[in-house]
Amino acid sequence: MKQVGIEALNVYCGETYVDVPTLFAARGLDDGRIDNLMMARKSVALHCEDAVSFAVNAAKPIVDALSEQERAGIELLVVGTESGIDFGKSLATYVHDHLGLPRTCRLFETKQACYSGTAATQMAAAVVAASPFPTTKALVISSDVARPVPHTYVEPSQGAGAVALLVGDRPTVAAFDWGANGFHSYEVMDTCRPDPEAEAGDVDLSLLSYLDCLKGAFADYATKVDGADLVETFDLLAMHTPFPGMVKGAHRAVLRKLKRMSPPAIEDDFVRRLEPSIEYPRQVGNIYAGTVFLALASAIDKAVIDRDRRIGVFSYGSGCSSEFYSAVITPRSQRTVRAMGIQEALDARYELSVPEYDDLLRATAELKFGVPDFTFDLDRFPQITGARFSDAGRPRLVLEAVRNYHREYVWLGGRR
């Protein structure tokens, strides 16, 4: 069995953000709950951005760095999302086109709430492992743009972003432990999107389902990996992070139950093994399908990695489906991820005032799902787009118009 894993990883979390404490104050929310949320900033999509443009902008630096032969080896493109734009046509078709990928390629999108990106990644790993050709690669992109629910405690955690993974047999970023996968899934109505413009669900039930799945998925993992222990086996952990406070609460609850650890010991364990993974999510918010990979990227960037280290990864999708798996990361993994400049891009985002944020939400809401024709005013927010989309900047794909249901995108800024 060939070694398979992640060869390259990149994150795109938009051009703007809003400060979470500032948003709490503007909405009249109880600021005593900020500490439980553990959020600092949330990414916000521009009115002319969608799951397609986010996916392309995340993957483009990876694809551009490939040789012609390596690009020709991409036999599979999967986009995991719950921000679909059509009931039949996959948004992967647009992504495939704007990345200039070969036509000798399978392409489709997956859906299972926030688990869809992991589902796509595991499928990609299986395709690469089964291929008789050493050049076979797969591109997996998790991309979502939240429809915020204003004036609720959910709003400060709803982000926007995409994470692109190149999966192959030269796993520079993370080498998967083959066969080390635990699953726990069942039907539950915790959260859903019954309408393209809205989210619904039971927050308390979602928290309980997440916790139940963490315990159940690891228990299944332990039946397949001799001697697996949640504390001793893994140097680091990365978990689906709807908001960092939820991860901290789940970690505390599981270690109390499974390991009978004291509160100080649990806190020390969290700081050592989990805190590096929440640094990016604290600055971005919940990006749904890509959140677990945002946490993985954060762990690789922020942790001390001075030797080979094993990381346990927990992915959860409402409804629900979950998986616990593991991978080995190295000092080279850290150098590779840091070279993508993810933290620098997060730092360079434009800070929205709350009035600007609200104006942006109103502009975004003007494009309704299923509308046959629509034209965007790309100059509507010049204070944001003027400098960010200059010729000196990096190129960004944005949505320009919808004509007879077909979405038309353009590249702005930089050299393409």
Side-chain angles (χ1 to χ4, degrees):
M1 178 67 69
K2 67 176 79 170
Q3 190 176 53
V4 175
I6 302 170
E7 295 188 353
L9 182 157
N10 191 45
V11 172
Y12 176 71
C13 291
E15 305 296 328
T16 71
Y17 74 90
V18 65
D19 179 74
V20 168
T22 300
L23 183 61
F24 258 74
R27 297 293 194 244
L29 301 176
D30 178 8
D31 60 9
R33 297 180 65 169
I34 294 178
D35 288 343
N36 290 334
L37 196 65
M38 296 179 67
M39 286 283 304
R41 301 172 174 179
K42 60 167 274 178
S43 280
V44 183
L46 295 173
H47 65 302
C48 53
E49 293 185 303
D50 64 2
V52 171
S53 65
F54 266 77
V56 172
N57 290 330
K60 182 174 172 56
I62 293 176
V63 174
D64 285 354
L66 298 176
S67 67
E68 185 175 340
Q69 181 182 12
E70 289 170 328
R71 190 178 302 194
I74 298 177
E75 295 184 1
L76 175 67
L77 167 67
V78 191
V79 181
T81 186
E82 55 185 270
S83 305
I85 57 176
D86 187 278
F87 286 115
K89 181 179 172 66
S90 165
L91 60 79
T93 59
Y94 289 105
V95 175
H96 177 269
D97 181 40
H98 289 287
L99 288 176
L101 296 180
R103 293 197 172 189
T104 51
C105 182
R106 296 184 180 103
L107 57 96
F108 52 92
E109 68 183 54
T110 55
K111 184 183 81 170
Q112 177 46 55
C114 300
Y115 176 74
S116 63
T118 294
T121 301
Q122 296 297 354
M123 182 179 300
V127 166
V128 172
S131 175
F133 306 109
T135 57
T136 298
K137 300 182 187 299
L139 183 62
V140 176
I141 312 171
S142 302
S143 183
D144 274 300
V145 176
R147 292 286 190 176
V149 185
H151 303 281
T152 70
Y153 286 99
V154 176
E155 183 184 16
S157 68
Q158 292 176 299
V163 183
L165 312 175
L166 184 68
V167 177
D169 61 5
R170 293 180 294 176
T172 306
V173 172
F176 295 138
D177 289 324
W178 199 248
N181 307 76
F183 314 106
H184 196 74
S185 308
Y186 53 92
E187 195 281 324
V188 62
M189 202 64 174
D190 55 343
T191 66
C192 62
R193 290 194 182 189
D195 181 280
E197 312 298 331
E199 296 184 38
D202 184 324
V203 175
D204 292 335
L205 179 59
S206 185
L207 294 173
L208 292 172
S209 299
Y210 181 100
L211 182 59
D212 181 52
C213 283
L214 174 58
K215 291 184 290 186
F218 179 74
D220 189 44
Y221 178 98
T223 67
K224 301 169 182 175
V225 180
D226 290 342
D229 181 274
L230 190 57
V231 174
E232 301 299 329
T233 301
F234 310 102
D235 300 291
L236 295 164
L237 295 171
M239 296 160 58
H240 173 56
T241 309
F243 56 92
M246 183 170 173
V247 170
K248 187 168 188 177
H251 168 263
R252 179 173 60 244
V254 168
L255 291 195
R256 279 177 178 171
K257 184 174 180 62
L258 297 183
K259 306 295 290 185
R260 307 294 182 185
M261 292 173 65
S262 67
I266 291 173
E267 178 65 21
D268 288 345
D269 186 76
F270 178 82
V271 170
R272 178 172 59 88
R273 296 196 301 145
L274 257 170
E275 194 165 66
S277 74
I278 67 171
E279 287 303 309
Y280 286 172
R282 285 185 73 247
Q283 303 171 55
V284 173
N286 188 3
I287 58 171
Y288 302 90
T291 301
V292 68
F293 300 118
L294 183 67
L296 175 62
S298 182
I300 295 172
D301 187 353
K302 304 299 182 180
V304 175
I305 305 176
D306 52 5
R307 58 175 174 80
D308 288 8
R309 294 188 179 272
R310 177 159 282 105
I311 185 166
V313 182
F314 173 64
S315 179
Y316 174 82
S318 295
C320 65
S321 182
S322 71
E323 181 171 348
F324 190 100
Y325 57 103
S326 58
V328 174
I329 56 178
T330 69
R332 187 182 181 190
S333 304
Q334 189 168 70
R335 293 193 298 271
T336 301
V337 170
R338 285 180 175 175
M340 301 307 293
I342 298 168
Q343 183 61 65
E344 291 81 357
L346 294 178
D347 292 342
R349 290 171 298 172
Y350 176 91
E351 181 178 358
L352 296 164
S353 67
V354 173
E356 286 176 318
Y357 167 66
D358 286 334
D359 285 346
L360 193 51
L361 294 187
R362 284 189 288 269
T364 301
E366 291 174 5
L367 175 62
K368 303 298 182 183
F369 186 87
V371 169
D373 296 285
F374 189 90
T375 300
F376 290 86
D377 179 0
L378 300 182
D379 297 319
R380 186 164 176 173
F381 298 95
Q383 75 276 29
I384 302 170
T385 59
R388 310 194 74 78
F389 295 142
S390 69
D391 289 341
R394 290 180 295 172
R396 291 287 188 262
L397 190 73
V398 298
L399 180 57
E400 181 181 40
V402 180
R403 294 188 174 91
N404 194 25
Y405 299 106
H406 186 256
R407 295 197 169 209
E408 299 182 358
Y409 297 85
V410 295
W411 290 100
L412 297 179
R415 296 180 179 178
R416 294 172 288 283

